[in-house]
């Protein structure tokens, strides 16, 4: 049960190779990004007692001793304890300070700083700048804080970046043309309305006014059913643009013998099956014409019928008076 499988071993190896963001950050961030700037310092002539007070006041456990910005040594809390113990607390600090302490440079990477903490075991390092001046002090805690701070900042940037990408993608999709092309089979009553449904969904996602959506749906649905019921088969093509929907219904025949009659309300040649299924009221073509902003039918007997319709789209918010579909 506990034997690692081949897959486990492979994923463990991958885990070991995986570099976390925190690991990357310790290479990217510098000591100057994590250190405490303007550290509390004392002068060589200051007494150990004065430094004891400084430590208490600022809640620190080590004070660099400087002269004109130049680091001379460090007094730690242990030095103060020893001085109290042995009775030399009023001595000037330069007599007891650790001279030439190990320092870090402000341009070192944090990974180097961590290595120095591990190597020397000190609680803090004074930090020098390029001019050898004391510029800060750094503890392990400062490194952890800097990492947490930068990880949070990166996470926030990532969230903001993601939001921008989503907004751009949505704007792209909105501006984009969507083309729905579907072959329509004669007699395929089952499929009636499918293209129209897909078109409605896209228009709804784009925030198109419900009334314009409904008109486009009527045209697509009636065109689709006419190919199913009256033709030997064809194709429905719906092109959704930001400003309009263009619907083309083309079939391979037989063509409409009396287009003038076909355009009249109530005129139908639908057979009994179509009527049984609820078609054949003779309202399709008149309704399409009413619903479309532009409508044309070209038909030729024995060749086929091509119906072309355009519906102008409006954004729902531009037309607050309409009711939702
Ligand atoms: N693509 C087509 N091919 C051949 N004839 C057609 C085509 N479309 C319409 N017609 C003819 O035009 C007539 C009227 O069509 P219309 O869509 O107005 O009514 P319908 O399809 O008969 O009934 P409804 O649409 O109300 O269910 C049809 O009965 C049919 O004779
Ligand atoms: Mg019809």
């Amino acid at each position: 049960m506990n034997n690692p499988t081949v897959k486990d071993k492979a994923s463990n190896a991958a885990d070991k190779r995986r570099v976390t963001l925190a690991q990357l950050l310790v290479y990217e961030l510098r000591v100057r990004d994590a250190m405490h700037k303007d550290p509390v310092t004392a002068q060589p002539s200051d007494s150990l007692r004065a430094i004891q007070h400084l430590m208490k006041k600022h809640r620190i456990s080590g004070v660099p001793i400087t002269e004109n910005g130049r680091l001379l040594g460090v007094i730690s809390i242990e030095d103060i304890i020893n001085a109290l113990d042995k009775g030399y607390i009023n001595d000037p600090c330069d007599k007891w300070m650790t001279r030439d302490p190990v320092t870090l440079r402000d341009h070192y990477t944090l990974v180097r700083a961590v290595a120095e903490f591990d190597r020397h075991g000190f609680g803090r390092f004074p930090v020098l700048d390029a001019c050898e001046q004391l510029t800060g002090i750094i503890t392990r805690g400062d490194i952890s804080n800097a990492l947490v701070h930068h990880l949070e900042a990166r996470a926030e940037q990532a969230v903001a970046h993601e939001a921008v990408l989503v907004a751009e993608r949505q704007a792209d999709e909105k501006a984009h043309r969507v083309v729905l092309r579907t072959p329509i089979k004669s007699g395929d009553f089952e499929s009636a309305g499918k293209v129209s449904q897909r078109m409605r969904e896209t228009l709804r996602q784009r925030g198109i006014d419900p009334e314009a959506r409904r008109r486009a749906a009527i045209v697509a649905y009636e065109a689709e059913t006419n190919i199913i019921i009256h033709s030997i088969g064809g194709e429905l093509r719906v092109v959704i643009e930001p400003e309009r929907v263009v619907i083309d219904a083309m079939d391979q025949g037989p063509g409409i013998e009396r287009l003038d009659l076909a355009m009249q309300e109530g005129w139908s040649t639908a057979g009994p099956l179509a009527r049984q299924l609820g078609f054949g009221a003779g309202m399709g073509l008149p309704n399409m014409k009413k619903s479309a902003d532009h409508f044309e039918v070209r038909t030729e007997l024995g060749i086929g019928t091509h119906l072309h319709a355009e519906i102008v789209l409006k954004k729902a918010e531009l037309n607050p008076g309409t009711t939702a579909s």
Side-chain angles (χ1 to χ4, degrees), residues 222 226 230 251 255-256 262 267-270 279-286 305:
E222 294 292 358
N226 273 2
H230 305 296
D251 65 52
I256 305 173
W267 194 86
S268 175
T269 62
F279 303 102
M283 293 303 292
L285 286 169
T305 301

Side-chain angles (χ1 to χ4, degrees), residues 210-220 290-293 311-312:
E211 193 261 351
R213 258 156 40 196
R214 272 198 299 269
R215 291 195 289 112
I218 288 170
V219 175
K290 261 192 260 171
S291 301
D293 294 297
I311 294 95
V312 175

Side-chain angles (χ1 to χ4, degrees), residues 15 31 38 78 84 114 121 125 141 150-151 191 197 223 237 294:
D15 275 352
V31 164
D38 303 320
E78 288 82 26
L84 285 167
V114 169
F125 285 104
H150 278 83
L151 282 171
S191 306
Q197 225 169 45
R237 194 179 68 197
H294 175 80

Side-chain angles (χ1 to χ4, degrees), residues 133-173:
Q133 298 277 305
L134 180 75
T135 179
I137 197 150
I138 190 166
T139 64
R140 279 180 186 272
D142 293 333
I143 294 180
S144 312
N145 286 344
L147 286 179
V148 168
H149 177 81
H150 278 83
L151 282 171
E152 279 173 358
R154 295 276 171 114
E156 277 167 21
Q157 275 169 10
V159 168
H161 184 63
E162 176 69 11
V164 168
L165 286 183
V166 167
E168 278 176 3
R169 201 171 53 228
Q170 281 172 351
D172 256 18
E173 276 167 11

Side-chain angles (χ1 to χ4, degrees), residues 164-197:
V164 168
L165 286 183
V166 167
E168 278 176 3
R169 201 171 53 228
Q170 281 172 351
D172 256 18
E173 276 167 11
K174 276 181 186 166
H176 210 262
R177 260 169 118 239
V178 170
V179 181
L180 308 173
R181 287 179 79 133
T182 320
I184 315 275
K185 280 192 263 165
S186 172
D188 185 12
F189 295 99
E190 276 293 305
S191 306
K194 281 200 178 148
V195 185
S196 153
Q197 225 169 45

